[in-house]
Amino acid sequence: MTSIEPPERESDYRVPALQRGLSILGMFSARERSLGMNDMAERLGISPSAVYRIVQTLADMGYLRKVGRNAFELGPQVISDGFAYLASRDLVEVAMPHLNDLRDRTSLSCHLSIREQTDSLYLYRAMAPQRLAVNIPVGTRLPCHSTALGRVLLSGLSETQLSALYQHVRLDDYPPPAPRTLPELQQLIAEDRQRGWVLHRSDYSTAIASGIRDHSGAIVAAINLSGPDAVMDTQVAQEGFLTALLAASHDVSQALGHIAA
């Protein structure tokens, strides 16, 4: 019986054409959105004729798109595959380590929520060890217009979308500082949208929230830092907590594919 001799080195398993094709896709970046075949060949250290078949194969499969006589950019298949992967990653899985780290650095409770109609639905909490910590259980639903998390989520809507959502919703059943009319809500959310984050005080506690954005730039979730007023009442404390919160929301958004301007 004939035996198959194993390769002497792991590198013997490599497929040169595949390796070159993936190397070509890796050449593109935000700074270099298009490349000519001569550029690709030079970086690979091969002739333009050798790179032609690889480039043509990638173009036929949709991974490259021709934008000039000899120039190419990344094609729709790369974008589709990449976004499909990012969308498939569980939001809680992506955000959890960042929220846990934020909790550890601030000693404040952190929560993650999404919007379902006019409610803010809590998906995760990183509980602070303090006795007076603010800890909202996972699965809790609170009206968006009455919480920092909810207002951030509403700021992701356009004025038209916000008006349509609250057209038949009563707002006067909630105590201040929650808005009690639609015009008040519209004004409040417009200010929140401009600011990019929300600070909300209620029941001897304070919460600061900011948005989580996906690859399209849309706000898909929100995170917060919340704690007793005694800890968060000074401007210096709030500024420090806000800086940490915005850094965490940036990191989570980046992990979801968002590229900040």
Side-chain angles (χ1 to χ4, degrees):
M1 182 175 179
T2 303
S3 62
I4 300 176
E5 293 294 331
E8 295 180 1
R9 302 183 307 276
E10 288 293 326
S11 59
D12 291 336
Y13 283 111
R14 294 178 182 173
V15 180
L18 176 60
Q19 189 175 19
R20 289 170 177 170
L22 294 175
S23 296
I24 288 173
L25 295 180
M27 293 177 187
F28 295 89
S29 66
R31 293 184 177 180
E32 292 187 290
R33 296 183 179 274
S34 65
L35 288 168
M37 278 197 290
N38 289 336
D39 297 323
M40 301 177 200
E42 182 178 350
R43 296 185 189 186
L44 290 175
I46 59 178
S47 67
S49 59
V51 84
Y52 176 81
R53 294 181 63 183
I54 300 173
V55 170
Q56 192 60 51
T57 300
L58 292 172
D60 289 344
M61 296 180 67
Y63 289 100
L64 290 180
R65 186 170 73 92
K66 196 169 185 178
V67 292
R69 184 174 180 181
N70 289 307
F72 291 82
E73 65 180 12
L74 291 179
Q77 194 61 44
V78 173
I79 299 172
S80 176
D81 290 347
F83 288 167
Y85 165 73
L86 292 171
S88 69
R89 297 181 66 190
D90 185 77
L91 179 61
V92 175
E93 175 189 344
V94 173
M96 184 186 303
H98 298 282
L99 291 187
N100 290 343
D101 179 65
L102 182 62
R103 181 266 321 273
D104 294 341
R105 288 188 289 114
T106 62
S107 296
L108 296 177
S109 297
C110 307
H111 301 85
L112 168 74
S113 77
I114 60 172
R115 183 180 64 84
E116 289 196 347
Q117 295 300 317
T118 58
D119 286 340
S120 172
L121 173 63
Y122 286 68
L123 298 183
Y124 180 74
R125 64 175 175 176
M127 297 178 61
Q130 297 177 3
R131 184 169 59 88
L132 298 177
V134 178
N135 291 307
I136 308 299
V138 172
T140 298
R141 292 175 181 270
L142 294 176
C144 280
H145 74 288
S146 65
T147 66
L149 282 170
R151 283 167 52 185
V152 167
L153 294 168
L154 292 179
S155 71
L157 301 176
S158 67
E159 293 184 8
T160 301
Q161 291 172 323
L162 182 66
S163 298
L165 181 63
Y166 281 91
Q167 186 175 6
H168 303 294
V169 177
R170 288 194 60 177
L171 300 174
D172 54 3
D173 292 336
Y174 300 89
R180 299 176 64 83
T181 66
L182 180 54
E184 287 181 19
L185 176 63
Q186 291 171 320
Q187 178 62 33
L188 185 65
I189 299 304
E191 295 171 358
D192 294 340
R193 192 183 294 117
Q194 180 69 26
R195 188 188 314 108
W197 52 272
V198 172
L199 185 146
H200 181 80
R201 294 186 177 90
S202 64
D203 298 331
Y204 308 105
S205 66
T206 299
I208 309 175
S210 61
I212 301 299
R213 297 180 182 272
D214 65 5
H215 65 271
S216 69
I219 293 179
V220 294
I223 61 174
N224 78 353
L225 277 173
S226 55
D229 285 343
V231 176
M232 303 185 67
D233 204 30
T234 68
Q235 183 176 353
V236 173
Q238 290 175 8
E239 289 176 353
F241 292 140
L242 176 61
T243 298
L245 176 70
L246 293 178
S249 63
H250 171 272
D251 291 343
V252 177
S253 298
Q254 189 175 56
L256 292 175
H258 176 62
I259 302 176

